[in-house]
Amino acid sequence: MSNQYLDPNLKVFTLNSNPALAAEIAKVIGVELGKCSVTRFSDGEIQINIEESIRGCDVFIIQSTSSPVNEHLMELLIMIDALKRASAKSIGIVMPYYGYARQDRKARAREPITAKLAANLLETAGATRVITLDLHAPQIQGFFDIPIDHLMGVPILSQYFSKKDLSGDIVVVSPDHGGVTRARKMAERLKAPIAIIDKRRPRPNVAEVMNIVGNIEGKTAILIDDIIDTAGTITLAANALVENGAAEVYACCTHAVLSGPAIERIENSKIKELVVTNSIALSEEKKASKKIKELSVAELLGEAIIRVHEEQSVSILFD
């Protein structure tokens, strides 16, 4: 790919959630990041100023709605409104991590469906397309009435493990029933069998391992999930695999939320290495962990932006 993208009608902006990833994506495409400033009034209100003309341009905003999720979501909504009022031709949201995705249905009476509310807000503000990565629930695509390109982290994670010199037989493990499809996709790429951990969750962020379905005896297990938040599920799963005869355990995920006691749990667990992507910006403290390996999604997202802008097929990137 050439280092300079020649179409002046493509503009890429970043807000505050993940400027390092945005800079990487801009480099992949061969454009300069658009000039804009995000400031706060003394009462905390967000003010955004776009410092260049975007009239008639295809504009893409790179912003994960990660912690602090409400700040980042509000920044994004205000930016969309600013772009719309400045006569952008189209406004694409590149949202590597979609916050509120775990609130995708009513699990009990009188609960909101906040993933749908967030979709409504983005559309109402003026977004014309969304590019995202590993939605927690694929049906969230149906919450939007605008085009949405749902890219996958499995190829990037699988490629890393296929090049890694792992000892013995490999088994890909889903930490719950909901992740079986994801585990199977990785298993196909690594030409390995799968196993499933049957667990129940008594209350949010508390997981209890029940039993393991599949043969893991003496094998190198790779646990795969979309999100690792407090790391309770993944560390319990890793410890259970070792207790039941796995030789060693690796873990991987697309979205490293890693909140609360996550790092401490990972450090004290049987996980040999945790492989994550940079869909969410990691703090220096998290990057300092010797167990964490970060992979970049910049090339995937940069290629998606170019294909959307040039009206080419994006489906080739789904694999």
Side-chain angles (χ1 to χ4, degrees), residues 92-277:
I93 311 305
V94 182
M95 192 183 285
Y97 174 68
Y98 185 95
Y100 286 113
R102 286 172 283 183
Q103 297 185 44
D104 63 309
R105 66 196 187 284
K106 284 182 71 168
R108 56 180 71 85
R110 295 177 295 281
E111 273 194 341
I113 304 179
T114 319
K116 169 63 174 160
L117 173 62
N120 289 349
L121 290 168
L122 291 166
E123 282 190 52
T124 302
T128 56
R129 174 180 289 270
V130 173
I131 299 171
T132 190
L133 190 63
D134 266 338
L135 286 169
H136 183 64
Q139 65 265 25
I140 292 171
Q141 294 171 85
F143 293 176
F144 289 90
D145 291 321
I146 55 176
I148 177 165
D149 296 303
H150 182 213
L151 305 174
M152 298 294 168
V154 165
I156 294 168
L157 297 168
S158 301
Q159 187 178 37
Y160 174 79
F161 283 109
S162 67
K163 290 179 177 176
K164 196 174 177 68
D165 187 22
L166 297 175
S167 57
D169 293 338
I170 296 169
V171 59
V172 178
V173 185
S174 173
D176 54 32
H177 294 281
V180 171
T181 303
R182 190 178 302 107
R184 188 167 283 125
K185 282 179 180 171
M186 176 176 266
E188 284 169 4
R189 287 173 174 275
L190 298 179
K191 297 180 172 55
I194 70 165
I196 304 160
I197 293 184
D198 178 36
K199 69 172 175 62
R200 62 185 176 89
R201 191 186 286 276
R203 57 185 185 280
N205 289 336
V206 177
E208 183 181 326
V209 171
M210 301 300 283
N211 49 56
I212 297 162
V213 181
N215 178 22
I216 52 109
E217 185 78 36
K219 296 189 177 187
T220 295
I222 302 173
L223 278 158
I224 180 168
D225 213 342
D226 61 330
I227 299 170
I228 295 178
D229 188 349
T230 59
T233 296
I234 211 85
T235 52
L236 272 173
N239 295 345
L241 288 167
V242 171
E243 284 163 17
N244 284 272
E248 55 186 14
V249 179
Y250 291 83
C252 61
C253 72
T254 305
H255 308 302
V257 176
L258 302 179
S259 65
I263 295 295
E264 186 185 349
R265 283 175 172 172
I266 289 158
E267 293 289 349
N268 295 330
S269 74
K270 302 289 187 184
I271 294 171
K272 189 168 182 181
E273 184 178 52
L274 171 61
V275 183
V276 304
T277 80

Side-chain angles (χ1 to χ4, degrees), residues 15-16 40 48 63 71 73-79:
L15 298 171
N16 286 331
R40 296 285 188 282
I48 287 180
Q63 176 86 329
E71 283 283 303
L73 180 59
M74 201 66 202
E75 280 181 9
L76 182 54
L77 293 169
I78 294 169
M79 180 68 167

